[in-house]
Amino acid sequence: AERSGGSGGAMQPPAASPGPAAPAGAELLRWQWREVQAPCLVAAWILVASLAKIVFHLSRKVTSVVPESCLLILLGLGLGGIVLAVAKKAEYQLEPNMFFLFLLPPIVLDSGYFMPSRLFFDNIGAILTYAVVGTLWNSFATGTALWGLHRAGLMDPGVEAGLMDFLLFGSLISAVDPVAVLAVFEEVHVNETLFIIVFGESLLNDAVTVVLYKVFNSFVELGPAHIHATDYVKGVASFFLVSLGGTAVGLLFAFLLALITRFTKRVRIIEPLFVFLLAYVAYLAAEMVSLSAILAVTFCGICCKKYVEANISQKSRTTVKYTMKTLASSSETIIFMFLGISAVDTSKWTWDTALVLGTLFFILLFRAVGVVLQTYVLNRFRLIPLDRIDQVVMSYGGLRGAVAFALVILLDREKVKAKDYFVATTIVVVFFTVIVQGLTIKPLVTWLKVKRSDHHKPTLNEELHEHAFDHILAAVEDIVGHHGYHYWRDKWEQFDKKYLSQLLMRKSAYRLRDEIWDVYYKLNIRDAISFVDQGGHVHSAAKLALPSMPSRTSMSESSVTNLLRESGSGACLDLQVIDTVRSRRDKEDAAMHHVLRGSLYKPRRRYKASYSRHFISPDKQERQDKEIFRQNMKRRLETFKSTKHNVCSSKSKARLKEKGRKKAIPLLSQKNISLTKETPNGKTHRNVPWQDAAPVLVMVSSEEEESDSSETEKEDDEGIVFVARATDEVLQGKTTPELCKLPLTVPPSASPGSLDVCPSPCIIPPSPTLAEKELPWKGDQADLAVYVSSETTKIVPVDMQKAWNQSISSLESIASPPGIESGPQHRRFACPVLEEQPQSACQAMPEQSSCFQFPSHISKSGRSQSDSSPEGPEQQELQPLMATEEQGRVPPSGEPRWLMFNRASHL
Amino acid sequence: PGVPQGSAPVTSLLSLAVTSEQIEHLHRRFKQLSQDQLTIRKENFDSIPDLEFNPIRGKIVHAFFDKRNLRQESDGLAEEINFEDFLTIMSYFRPIEMNMDEEQLDRFRKEKLKFLFHMYDSDHDGKITLQEYRNVVEELLSGNPHLEKESARSIADGAMMEAASICVGQMGPDQVYEGITFEDFLKMWQGIDIETKMHVRFLNVDTIAHCY
């Protein structure tokens, strides 16, 4: 129905209706069903089908046994029956035009775009053989055999058909259908080679089907008397034209698509649109000149993917993926449902038992014979032969589907007298293959013990080895002087690298495009995500616990113990942790540190973001990637570090030294982890002998720097970290018992007065190391071991850290050039603090601890001269979270705290 | 051209895979490479133009002269190889046979992996150390001038860590993973059907395309 109204939806607002042609009275509302009828019906059908899908999947048991396509066909039958009963005539059916123009393209595009291209081209020979020779054989054999059956007088005399009619029918009934194959095989999970052969065949046989169908159709129309020898030649020629032409159209549009996406940097939002639009135009263009449209879209999808994926943004990639899957899936749903609905329309078909049974028998037989014969020939050339079981699955997996149905509906009843018989037979064949074979193929595959696909994520080593393989094989072919498959693949890759990729990919994308790197990058991100996920879990638990934290004891009972249980479960990597028995309180301290760290994570990120606003702000995703990458590397390095420590633990001297250093600024190190790590390990290492031998985290070294400068005052300062909080309570008069529970260690030498009650961390008085053992970073490592237990591996870490820096910088160069600057930047603002320390140690330390308790104004007032340092904003960022932590307690005023703080620092 | 003298043991060695016709072809190729000498030296491989762009060509050519691959008792690097050696190397790339039993397949697989392992283990100590792995990865990635060496290194480090986690699992605190031994190498390859990948079609086809 043509839409007449210019604006408005189904209901036009009253203000818009008074027009010149207004009827007698002004209408308040107008019923415009006719105008929205068509789209409304389409929407309704899609909705019904999608809802049905939800219902099907409510029961796992049903969908695991019955393929979705079967269920949809049955649903269609049911709905068709209802419509038939209500309207007394079958209103809806699968319209060939609609099928070919709207329903088929998304499915083909989806399968082409997500086709594993390497696998596809590795098996292209077999696929082509089955698609071309197999389909030819099937259609001729089926057609002739049926004709024989007819001649033998076994069929109803009403079937008026000659050889040409049967050949025409054979051509449309013998093609394996991509939609049906995909629907069934996706749930079966046979091994990849088998799948790609069956599925590739179903896609590529379209050209053969189209040509045979058209040729025979024209022969039927001409009548057998008027067919000349030249027509046969034309038929053969048109096969090449249709198939190669279709492929060429696909390649052309793939090229265009890749080229266009190269320039969409400023209009990211329409990137996905181009993918769909150009692929669809390719389909239409091929259809327009009656080339094989399926081939066109398939090859467009296969060939453009590499370049398009490299060009478009991550978000667009996701959009493309999901939109494509959604479209394909809904098309498929509608196709199967309408197949069911169409079958109800009895006026269209006439039953003939002999024809139906004969067709069923012949297509199964000839498919099996064809597969066996072709496989026999192919196995002589194939390096991995297809065994008997594979052949059975291939024969049995030859499903027919909607393409056959649409083609048979398209037949002209005037020309093809037996159309109704053919329609009935096609429906039965399609239903039989989809329902019976679809239902039984899964048990069959299990019974035959067909090699299943193992869906494991590619490991880095596998990727590396496969690459090495490709090169080795190409080299051996070169050496032997045999220009085989690997030779040509190698040549193509060189050509692609030299010209095509340069032309079709963005410079930035091209530069970093490398499969190995991609895999590495993805693995890193994946590891990191899982790490962050697991860590995030802990964090969130901690956050939940925070508000309801009136006293430390309750906290320790609820979340902290859980936290510890979790962290305790993992293998403890650190000997130092193992060999001292942790007191409960120390554990709490460690957990508390976790809580704080968890809440400190975000602000840093936010701060980063606002900081880099001065530059081109990087894509959020990229930033996130970077963040994740960093997290990941940090984790790796930390596990690594723990090894390092252990290695060093034998040298007790070095260890003590290190410990002493570490102690100085535990919190700074935690907070600044990402910042300090970027510090190139240059001078920071200066006076630590063992570090030169094998560099460790810079995190450690920054601590050293800190401690180096503040070595003298260390005694006074250390342990201040959480004191601020203690002092609050001191001020409020709740003093000592509470204080003891506070995290962290006030070293005995530094704690006179109220502070000396602190018992737990100071079990062994003079050494700060012991207390430190229990403390955050140690707990941290134990936790890390939990998160990454499978990953915690250690290798001799010659200069991991360098590698880390480098990979970070390379990552940042992906993101945006300014990103690289962040390293030096951070470093710069880490330095002022450090340099100040000698003079104003009492101020520098609070500044570190301020990230936990002190609002920025305190620290600012404490060190007015370093106000300009970028530390300021960060602290402001941190503040909100501090506030949330304090919510549960009596809100303390800044003043007393500051006083206290001063006291503490003067201690 | 007749089959060379050395071919008697070789044919027994390769009887499964290589027909005499193929040996003839290989011999012609051998003579072409060696410029009608009895042996091939490393320099002879420089004359193959297609090999020039192969990023790991050094490693591959090296493998041809590696005595471990030549099934010789001694270790080290051969100066030159004769036709028999050439065939021995080629036999690593033959495809599996339809009628191989499990044991044969296993041996076959190990042989192929050994070849690969030797290629990585350049200092012949039976271990692929991190440094060796890095070298390989660097060479592999050398085809892309935009990827810096550092990223190659971090990739190798990551791969090494992965290897360690696959092979050793959870390591003790002061355990150090020194390198991938052949046993570890086998473990890493468990998921991949090397026998379906490491072969050159030429060695299975009766009709030989003469490309020169």
Side-chain angles (χ1 to χ4, degrees):
Chain A
E2 281 285 299
R3 181 173 267 269
S4 55
S7 68
M11 282 185 284
Q12 283 202 333
S17 52
E27 283 178 278
L28 214 59
L29 291 171
R30 197 162 42 162
W31 182 249
Q32 299 197 122
W33 166 246
R34 295 191 65 79
E35 285 167 26
V36 295
Q37 186 183 15
C40 206
L41 277 177
V42 170
W45 280 120
I46 297 177
L47 187 69
V48 167
S50 308
L51 287 177
K53 256 188 164 173
I54 296 178
V55 174
F56 296 155
H57 284 274
L58 283 180
S59 157
R60 207 159 255 291
K61 221 184 257 171
V62 172
T63 41
S64 70
V65 177
V66 188
E68 210 180 77
S69 46
C70 299
L71 291 171
L72 283 168
I73 284 189
L74 295 177
L75 171 78
L77 279 172
L79 287 178
I82 292 170
V83 170
L84 191 68
V86 173
K88 298 283 181 265
K89 68 181 178 73
E91 277 206 44
Y92 308 103
Q93 69 153 353
L94 193 62
E95 295 293 339
N97 265 335
M98 172 132 128
F99 172 74
F100 281 118
L101 287 184
F102 300 110
L103 294 177
L104 193 53
I107 298 175
V108 179
L109 176 62
D110 172 65
S111 47
Y113 194 77
F114 293 107
M115 177 92 73
S117 54
R118 176 75 196 264
L119 204 59
F120 179 78
F121 285 110
D122 278 359
N123 290 294
I124 189 90
I127 292 172
L128 274 178
T129 315
Y130 289 119
V132 177
V133 181
T135 310
L136 281 175
W137 152 259
N138 277 344
S139 47
F140 277 104
T142 312
T144 331
L146 285 176
W147 180 66
L149 214 60
H150 182 66
R151 294 281 290 182
L154 289 171
M155 271 180 215
D156 189 78
V159 185
E160 290 177 54
L163 177 60
M164 282 303 153
D165 299 79
F166 279 115
L167 283 177
L168 174 62
F169 179 63
S171 76
L172 66 89
I173 202 73
S174 60
V176 178
D177 184 72
V179 186
V181 164
L182 203 62
V184 169
F185 270 73
E186 263 190 348
E187 297 179 24
V188 177
H189 306 298
V190 293
N191 63 70
E192 291 149 336
T193 319
L194 196 54
F195 174 75
I196 203 80
I197 287 178
V198 177
F199 180 54
E201 177 201 341
S202 71
L203 277 176
L204 298 198
N205 68 16
D206 175 66
V208 182
T209 313
V210 166
V211 172
L212 284 181
Y213 180 79
K214 278 183 186 148
V215 168
F216 288 131
N217 211 2
S218 60
F219 284 0
V220 169
E221 282 173 15
L222 282 171
H226 306 283
I227 302 169
H228 303 291
T230 50
D231 292 323
Y232 294 105
V233 178
K234 271 187 200 159
V236 174
S238 80
F239 164 71
F240 287 103
L241 198 65
V242 165
S243 53
L244 297 180
T247 310
V249 169
L251 293 181
L252 177 74
F253 277 92
F255 183 83
L256 272 178
L257 178 53
L259 200 62
I260 287 175
T261 51
R262 204 191 144 167
F263 302 103
T264 50
K265 195 173 180 183
R266 305 272 165 84
V267 281
R268 291 278 191 204
I269 201 80
I270 55 169
E271 273 172 346
L273 182 70
F274 280 118
V275 177
F276 293 104
L277 211 57
L278 274 161
Y280 191 53
V281 172
Y283 186 90
L284 293 181
E287 192 74 53
M288 190 170 64
V289 280
S290 68
L291 298 172
S292 169
I294 290 185
L295 277 185
V297 174
T298 306
F299 277 95
C300 180
I302 292 178
C303 297
C304 75
K305 189 187 181 197
K306 183 172 141 190
Y307 310 105
V308 169
E309 294 274 284
N311 283 338
I312 62 180
S313 71
Q314 175 66 38
K315 274 179 194 143
S316 303
R317 243 172 278 166
T318 315
T319 312
V320 167
K321 184 176 170 189
Y322 278 94
T323 317
M324 218 175 253
K325 293 280 176 208
T326 309
L327 284 177
S329 158
S330 36
S331 296
E332 194 185 278
T333 310
I334 292 173
I335 288 171
F336 282 116
M337 197 175 71
F338 269 82
L339 267 180
I341 292 175
S342 315
V344 177
D345 188 1
T346 42
S347 66
K348 292 247 171 62
W349 51 284
T350 325
W351 180 269
D352 179 61
T353 315
L355 180 64
V356 169
L357 290 182
T359 313
L360 269 181
F361 176 73
F362 286 133
I363 60 164
L364 286 174
L365 175 74
F366 290 130
R367 168 92 189 159
V369 171
V371 165
V372 171
L373 286 180
Q374 289 173 83
T375 314
Y376 176 74
V377 177
L378 279 173
N379 272 351
R380 296 171 59 102
F381 299 95
R382 278 184 72 82
L383 291 160
I384 321 139
L386 295 161
D387 57 20
R388 241 161 243 295
I389 291 170
D390 290 341
Q391 294 175 32
V392 171
V393 175
M394 279 165 62
S395 315
Y396 203 67
L399 306 178
R400 293 1 182 230
V403 173
F405 180 77
L407 286 177
V408 83
I409 292 288
L410 274 179
L411 288 179
D412 185 357
R413 198 189 303 262
E414 300 295 308
K415 304 276 167 46
V416 186
K417 302 277 190 313
K419 180 188 172 185
D420 290 353
Y421 291 97
F422 290 155
V423 171
T425 315
T426 310
I427 288 175
V428 171
V429 166
V430 169
F431 280 29
F432 178 84
T433 54
V434 172
I435 294 177
V436 177
Q437 286 178 241
L439 271 174
T440 48
I441 199 159
K442 214 167 187 175
L444 183 81
V445 164
T446 325
W447 182 63
L448 289 174
K449 298 191 183 67
V450 176
K451 230 168 102 190
R452 302 294 187 97
S453 63
D454 49 339
H455 273 295
H456 67 286
K457 296 269 162 51
T459 66
L460 198 52
N461 280 298
E462 281 173 21
E463 187 66 26
L464 284 171
H465 292 320
E466 301 224 342
H467 255 247
F469 257 172
D470 290 344
H471 290 305
I472 293 169
L473 293 181
V476 168
E477 284 196 353
D478 290 340
I479 290 169
V480 171
H482 168 72
H483 291 194
Y485 174 73
H486 301 288
Y487 172 85
W488 289 112
R489 219 181 53 76
D490 200 49
K491 277 268 163 309
W492 162 257
E493 293 215 330
Q494 279 172 29
F495 172 76
D496 175 67
K497 216 170 224 168
K498 253 190 196 155
Y499 305 106
L500 269 185
S501 290
Q502 296 233 22
L503 181 66
L504 296 179
M505 278 190 199
R506 279 190 198 156
K507 282 249 155 40
S508 55
Y510 170 72
R511 287 181 50 190
L512 279 153
R513 194 192 67 79
D514 193 285
E515 284 94 342
I516 298 176
W517 175 255
D518 285 351
V519 169
Y520 177 64
Y521 185 78
K522 271 182 203 144
L523 282 175
N524 256 330
I525 300 272
R526 202 182 67 210
D527 284 2
I529 286 174
S530 70
F531 166 67
V532 170
D533 276 356
Q534 284 159 320
H537 160 65
V538 174
H539 289 168
S540 63
K543 271 179 200 140
L544 278 179
L546 269 172
S548 60
M549 195 175 58
S551 78
R552 291 277 296 143
T553 36
S554 77
M555 159 124 187
S556 68
E557 270 158 18
S558 59
S559 69
V560 174
T561 41
N562 289 336
L563 213 70
L564 289 170
R565 217 169 287 141
E566 280 170 12
S567 60
S569 65
C572 199
L573 289 172
D574 199 326
L575 275 181
Q576 292 155 26
V577 177
I578 293 169
D579 61 24
T580 55
V581 182
R582 290 171 152 216
S583 79
R584 185 189 155 95
R585 189 156 296 134
D586 295 338
K587 287 178 182 173
E588 280 176 31
D589 290 345
M592 183 59 200
H593 187 86
H594 253 288
V595 171
L596 290 169
R597 212 170 83 96
S599 34
L600 281 172
Y601 175 69
K602 269 196 182 129
R604 179 172 63 75
R605 206 155 100 182
R606 218 183 295 152
Y607 160 72
K608 248 190 76 73
S610 68
Y611 185 66
S612 58
R613 198 169 26 176
H614 298 290
F615 304 97
I616 303 164
S617 79
D619 196 319
K620 201 176 171 191
Q621 174 68 35
E622 277 161 357
R623 212 169 56 220
Q624 195 177 324
D625 284 355
K626 223 191 290 173
E627 190 69 37
I628 289 167
F629 191 79
R630 228 172 246 155
Q631 273 282 345
N632 187 25
M633 278 331 268
K634 176 179 126 199
R635 190 204 71 215
R636 287 195 166 179
L637 285 171
E638 289 213 17
T639 55
F640 157 67
K641 190 186 79 182
S642 70
T643 340
K644 184 69 228 162
H645 284 225
N646 291 327
V647 170
C648 291
S649 66
S650 53
K651 312 169 201 162
S652 57
K653 196 178 130 201
R655 172 179 139 200
L656 272 174
K657 203 167 166 190
E658 179 213 343
K659 298 244 155 184
R661 300 232 153 87
K662 255 194 139 168
K663 176 94 213 282
I665 48 148
L667 289 168
L668 174 65
S669 70
Q670 291 296 337
K671 180 188 61 143
N672 277 353
I673 260 173
S674 75
L675 313 182
T676 47
K677 264 194 189 173
E678 273 151 29
T679 324
N681 51 346
K683 54 165 188 170
T684 49
H685 285 243
R686 48 207 142 129
N687 46 9
V688 195
W690 55 265
Q691 254 191 342
D692 295 330
V696 170
L697 275 185
V698 191
M699 179 186 128
V700 178
S701 56
S702 81
E703 289 159 10
E704 282 151 20
E705 198 169 338
E706 180 79 15
S707 56
D708 286 346
S709 51
S710 63
E711 199 110 48
T712 44
E713 308 93 358
K714 197 163 62 188
E715 295 294 290
D716 301 328
D717 283 292
E718 63 200 9
I720 203 162
V721 263
F722 282 74
V723 162
R725 184 197 188 140
T727 52
D728 276 340
E729 271 141 344
V730 171
L731 278 185
Q732 283 152 29
K734 291 173 190 166
T735 44
T736 50
E738 289 286 342
L739 185 57
C740 305
K741 283 174 192 147
L742 286 171
L744 302 222
T745 95
V746 182
S749 58
S751 52
S754 66
L755 291 180
D756 63 5
V757 232
C758 183
S760 66
C762 320
I763 305 166
I764 300 170
S767 143
T769 44
L770 231 221
E772 181 266 344
K773 270 172 206 158
E774 307 308 325
L775 289 183
W777 52 94
K778 290 298 164 196
D780 236 19
Q781 276 163 17
D783 280 0
L784 280 167
V786 183
Y787 307 147
V788 291
S789 51
S790 67
E791 301 276 338
T792 43
T793 55
K794 294 142 211 166
I795 49 174
V796 182
V798 194
D799 41 10
M800 264 306 273
Q801 191 260 323
K802 212 163 150 195
W804 183 81
N805 272 340
Q806 285 149 353
S807 54
I808 264 294
S809 66
S810 60
L811 186 78
E812 275 166 352
S813 68
I814 302 174
S816 62
I820 298 164
E821 261 132 81
S822 62
Q825 296 283 7
H826 291 312
R827 194 181 168 199
R828 214 192 304 140
F829 66 70
C831 288
V833 185
L834 305 176
E835 281 152 15
E836 277 165 44
Q837 234 171 16
Q839 307 103 27
S840 56
C842 54
Q843 285 152 357
M845 277 325 282
E847 179 191 300
Q848 290 145 17
S849 47
S850 71
C851 49
F852 291 95
Q853 286 290 337
F854 292 99
S856 59
H857 68 269
I858 291 176
S859 51
K860 265 185 194 165
S861 63
R863 45 171 194 109
S864 54
Q865 75 268 46
S866 59
D867 256 351
S868 55
S869 106
E871 201 90 35
E874 182 175 14
Q875 281 159 359
Q876 277 163 352
E877 293 281 352
L878 291 167
Q879 218 175 329
L881 269 157
M882 295 305 113
T884 63
E885 194 201 338
E886 284 165 356
Q887 270 168 13
R889 311 186 298 124
V890 186
S893 66
E895 265 306 290
R897 262 202 289 151
W898 190 60
L899 272 174
M900 260 335 269
F901 148 66
N902 272 343
R903 233 174 70 190
S905 57
H906 285 306
L907 300 176
Chain B
V3 177
Q5 301 84 353
S7 68
V10 176
T11 36
S12 66
L13 176 79
L14 303 172
S15 56
L16 277 174
V18 185
T19 64
S20 61
E21 202 183 340
Q22 285 171 350
I23 291 181
E24 267 177 44
H25 166 80
L26 284 175
H27 191 240
R28 271 199 300 273
R29 179 67 179 171
F30 181 84
K31 270 166 74 179
Q32 191 199 20
L33 286 178
S34 66
Q35 287 151 352
D36 285 329
Q37 300 298 305
L38 279 176
T39 55
I40 291 187
R41 309 178 68 83
K42 262 193 174 176
E43 302 83 74
N44 294 120
F45 284 100
D46 295 337
S47 61
I48 306 171
D50 297 322
L51 211 54
E52 212 175 294
F53 303 105
N54 203 315
I56 52 171
R57 66 181 293 272
K59 285 251 179 304
I60 295 164
V61 172
H62 197 89
F64 272 80
F65 296 89
D66 193 330
K67 280 188 179 161
R68 289 172 298 176
N69 293 335
L70 297 172
R71 295 199 175 85
Q72 289 175 359
E73 297 304 311
S74 58
D75 200 12
L77 220 55
E79 277 294 303
E80 47 189 22
I81 53 168
N82 58 22
F83 181 60
E84 191 183 331
D85 299 332
F86 188 69
L87 279 186
T88 311
I89 299 293
M90 281 300 155
S91 73
Y92 285 104
F93 294 93
R94 56 180 205 218
I96 44 169
E97 304 290 313
M98 291 283 266
N99 49 8
M100 273 182 164
D101 57 27
E102 283 297 312
E103 193 194 338
Q104 272 175 312
L105 265 179
D106 192 51
R107 211 177 54 228
F108 191 70
R109 180 185 164 84
K110 273 193 185 148
E111 254 174 40
K112 284 179 182 250
L113 284 175
K114 201 117 206 170
F115 181 84
L116 206 65
F117 183 77
H118 290 159
M119 223 168 85
Y120 289 165
D121 177 24
S122 51
D123 64 356
H124 300 227
D125 66 348
K127 268 188 192 130
I128 304 172
T129 57
L130 184 60
Q131 198 49 49
E132 283 167 339
Y133 211 172
R134 279 184 183 168
N135 288 341
V136 174
V137 175
E138 264 171 36
E139 279 185 35
L140 267 179
L141 292 176
S142 62
N144 188 343
H146 304 290
L147 270 184
E148 305 126 22
K149 263 197 171 164
E150 289 78 53
S151 28
R153 289 186 138 208
S154 53
I155 288 173
D157 292 347
M160 200 68 176
M161 273 203 199
E162 195 184 85
S165 74
I166 291 172
C167 303
V168 185
Q170 196 74 45
M171 295 174 84
D174 37 348
Q175 205 175 339
V176 165
Y177 193 66
E178 286 168 2
I180 304 169
T181 60
F182 186 63
E183 283 69 39
D184 294 346
F185 200 64
L186 284 178
K187 260 189 226 167
M188 282 160 58
W189 277 92
Q190 249 160 13
I192 312 172
D193 306 331
I194 184 173
E195 56 270 23
T196 64
K197 286 188 173 133
M198 187 168 153
H199 45 56
V200 175
R201 192 163 295 228
F202 156 78
L203 293 171
N204 195 34
V205 182
D206 295 329
T207 51
I208 297 161
H210 298 284
C211 310
Y212 47 91

